[in-house]
Structure formats: C-alpha cells, structure tokens
Amino acid sequence: MKVFKVLSILAATITLHCQAAVIPANSTLQVNQTLDSDNGNYFLVQQGDGNLVSYRKSDMKPLWATYANGAYTAIQQDGNLVQYNNAGAAVWASNTGGHAANPNFKLGVANNGLVYILDEGNRVIWHNKSIDPSAPTTGIPCQLGGQQIPFGVCRGFPPFRYSSIVYACTLQEALARSAPSTLGMCPPN
C-alpha cells in the first residue's frame, strides 16, 4: 500500500491502491514533494530550481524534465498538467486541458519511469515518452510502454470452439481483448 502526502485544496493524506502511483485532479506537487512509482524505483519531483523532473532512484539518473522555472505543479480538473511560477503564471503545460471539469483525472508515475495523465476512464491522455530502457516491460500496460506477450484464448461455442492467441501487455488487457471468449486453450471436445 502506497501512502504519501500531497497538498490539495484541503491538504490531506491520500492512500492509493493501484498498479502505479497517482495523485488526483486538484492536487499539486510543491517544491521538494515527490510522487513515487508503486515499485519505488522512480519518482517525479518539483525541484527547488523550478524544474519538474523524473528520476530513477538507484542512481538518481534524470529521465525527463520540463526545464521550466515553476514554483509548483498542478494536475487540473480539465486534464492539464501545469507548472506555475510564484506569480501564478503558467510556465509549462502538458496541453491536455480543455476537457470537461472532472475530478477523476490523475497524474502518475509508472513502474518503468514513465510520467502520465489518466482520464476518467483510466485511459492515458498524455505521457512523457521517457521510459527507462533498463526497466522490465512485462506487467506494465501497453499504453504505458509495456511489452506484449501471447495469451491463449478459447473462442466460439461447442462444438465449434477453436484456440487462438491474443497479444496483450497484462492479464487485464488480455481479458478485455478476448471478451466474450475465455483465456486459456480450449478443452478437447
């Protein structure tokens, strides 16, 4: 279970149970606050120099940065990730705003170092395209840079069943792609 503190409108402690760590819309990263990946190998930090940077923890290698002079970073209800300076002016943005206001947008750090934004349907609407090349890719959703692997699928109805293969990055994706069929090879008739 991942527990971390973020500043939001009411400044609360948020407990997350998910594949990758996320913070919800209307949350901010203030100077020196971090958002860790669930596996603890990567983190995103709003640095004191104004830069928003993702790092690999093992050697503190930076993977991605905004190169902006921000005082804090906000994930907004319209899906936009924005860095603001001390005067409240935007100095960097993901340019993913314009969606209807929704508190279900999330900012996350995946278990391969990727920084991303999810919409209310948990679909990736933006990511930084900077995956750690040394990170494992199995078990990570395809949309976050995962590697596709084959899953056996039993399709059809008796007596016309047949086995086939579905390629997906995770079991959840394989289940979604194979529906209404079942995962696994068909039993003999």
Side-chain angles (χ1 to χ4, degrees), residues 12-13 27 39 48 50-51 58 103 121 157 163-164 167-168 172 180 189:
T13 299
S27 297
N39 64 9
N51 206 358
S58 63
F157 301 96
S163 295
S164 68
Y167 287 89
Q172 291 81 10
N189 287 334

Side-chain angles (χ1 to χ4, degrees), residues 154 157-163 184-189:
C154 181
F157 301 96
F160 303 107
R161 290 190 297 196
Y162 63 97
S163 295
M185 304 313 277
C186 296
N189 287 334

Side-chain angles (χ1 to χ4, degrees), residues 102 104 106 118-124 143:
N102 189 320
N104 295 315
K106 301 171 202 76
L118 295 176
D119 69 8
E120 65 280 358
N122 285 326
R123 293 175 298 263
V124 175
Q143 60 184 351

Side-chain angles (χ1 to χ4, degrees), residues 64-103:
W64 172 80
T66 59
Y67 300 104
N69 189 19
Y72 65 96
T73 302
I75 179 68
Q76 301 178 162
Q77 277 196 345
D78 68 353
N80 207 8
L81 180 65
V82 183
Q83 268 190 292
Y84 292 96
N85 65 18
N86 285 325
V91 295
W92 179 89
S94 62
N95 296 318
T96 51
H99 300 275
N102 189 320

Side-chain angles (χ1 to χ4, degrees), residues 118-135:
L118 295 176
D119 69 8
E120 65 280 358
N122 285 326
R123 293 175 298 263
V124 175
I125 61 168
W126 176 88
H127 64 81
N128 64 353
K129 299 179 179 66
S130 297
I131 297 171
D132 180 0
S134 65

Side-chain angles (χ1 to χ4, degrees), residues 42 78 95 137 139 149 168:
Y42 304 93
D78 68 353
N95 296 318
T137 57
I149 53 178

